[in-house]
């Protein structure tokens, strides 16, 4: 295929970088949910969270029991956006070099050469991240924050975009290593994947009865509807979304209220406040507005803040949850008009 014919073939799915307008980028990213719905049923919230993370250059922690289509969702998203994805099963014997890459001796050249690890991708699915020791968990910190890995003193840039979609099982904690607060704070969003409702589960079984193969997304009808150029245009548009001073103060007041809650021993840090602002701007833009309203902040508060707070042990024994505390904060902090 010539370069001209390849360009013509791609024109139905995404424009070139020079042609992409904010409206075109928004339409393409909104279409993702419909396209991914051809393979994944009942997980629109998680799909939206991944799109918001891509727009904000952040990362997502997916919490759910096995069998809720986490891997399938990431694969479908990467295909619908023409992005590369890799999956790493985190186990107790996983070493940092297994994630970041390592130097390997080449007998032909008598030199050490760097072999890239799976972190060199656009979307890294870190499956059951809490099953690997802290040393390996920490290997992701530099990648998540700096978009690079350092091996033998040499920093190596990661591809752009780069998003970590990490999963953990909320039920089975035996033999796990809970993520430290410093690493939890690096995740832009934490999304809980519930078992889909009955109608959605029937739809899943009906698809499998008709021959759906989750390993063959092309046969399922998935096609690219967006690309990196749409994402770049979207990121630029999100940075132009306006925020009033009273909405900025509302974000700060919400976060400060968590620090004063009697149920929490750790409230939201200033980094959490900036994360909430970033996600609210991205959500406002996806919703078709170039300005943030308080409802955008409210909609993003729970997924953005629930993993940034620590409940006091005595409150946890009484059944208090992070979402319940955030619900109370949202109900008590005055909303700007």
């Amino acid at each position: 295929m010539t370069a001209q014919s390849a360009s013509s073939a791609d024109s139905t799915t995404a424009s070139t970088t020079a042609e992409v307008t904010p409206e075109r980028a928004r339409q393409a990213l909104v279409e993702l949910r419909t396209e991914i719905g051809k393979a994944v049923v009942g997980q629109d919230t998680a799909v939206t969270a991944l799109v918001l993370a891509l727009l904000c250059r952040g990362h997502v922690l997916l919490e759910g029991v096995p069998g809720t289509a986490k891997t399938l969702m990431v694969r479908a998203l990467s295909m619908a956006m023409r992005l590369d994805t890799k999956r790493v099963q985190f186990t107790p014997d996983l070493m940092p070099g297994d994630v970041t890459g390592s130097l390997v001796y080449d007998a032909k050249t008598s030199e050490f050469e760097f072999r890239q690890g799976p972190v060199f991708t656009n979307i890294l699915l870190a499956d059951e991240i809490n099953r690997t020791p802290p040393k390996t968990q920490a290997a992701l910190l530099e990648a998540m924050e700096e978009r690079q890995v350092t091996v033998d003193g040499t920093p190596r840039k990661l591809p752009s975009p780069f998003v970590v979609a990490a999963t953990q099982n909320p039920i089975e904690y035996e033999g796990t290593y809970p993520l430290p607060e410093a690493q939890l704070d690096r995740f832009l969003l934490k999304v809980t994947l519930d078992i889909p409702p009955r109608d959605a589960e029937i739809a899943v079984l009906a698809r499998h009865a008709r021959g759906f193969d989750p390993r063959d997304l092309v046969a399922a009808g998935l096609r690219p509807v967006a690309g990196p150029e749409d994402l770049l245009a979207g990121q630029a548009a999100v940075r132009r979304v306006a925020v009033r001073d009273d909405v900025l103060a509302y974000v700060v007041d919400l976060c400060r209220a968590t620090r004063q809650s009697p149920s929490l021993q750790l409230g939201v840090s200033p980094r959490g406040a900036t994360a909430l602002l970033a996600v609210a701007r991205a959500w406002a833009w996806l919703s078709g507005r170039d300005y943030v309203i308080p409802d955008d902040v409210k909609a993003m508060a729970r997924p953005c803040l629930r993993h940034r707070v620590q409940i006091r042990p005595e409150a946890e024994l009484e059944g208090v949850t992070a979402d319940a505390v955030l619900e109370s904060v949202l109900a008590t902090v005055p909303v700007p008009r």
Side-chain angles (χ1 to χ4, degrees), residues 162-173:
F162 172 71
V163 169
V164 173
T167 73
Q168 62 181 16
N169 186 341
I171 303 300
E172 188 179 355
Y173 286 105

Side-chain angles (χ1 to χ4, degrees), residues 67 264 299:
L264 299 179

Side-chain angles (χ1 to χ4, degrees), residues 139-190:
L140 273 179
L141 271 178
E142 182 186 13
M144 293 170 68
E145 190 67 21
E146 305 296 336
R147 265 64 180 184
Q148 68 176 28
V149 295
T150 302
V151 178
D152 196 34
T154 302
R156 292 174 169 85
K157 289 290 184 184
L158 296 175
S160 181
F162 172 71
V163 169
V164 173
T167 73
Q168 62 181 16
N169 186 341
I171 303 300
E172 188 179 355
Y173 286 105
E174 185 176 350
T176 62
Y177 303 85
L179 293 174
E181 291 74 23
Q183 187 155 9
L184 279 173
D185 208 31
R186 260 56 175 198
F187 285 99
L188 182 71
L189 299 166
K190 179 183 177 181

Side-chain angles (χ1 to χ4, degrees), residues 39-52:
V40 181
V41 178
Q43 300 296 0
D44 284 352
T45 300
V47 172
T48 302
L50 287 169
V51 175
L52 290 171

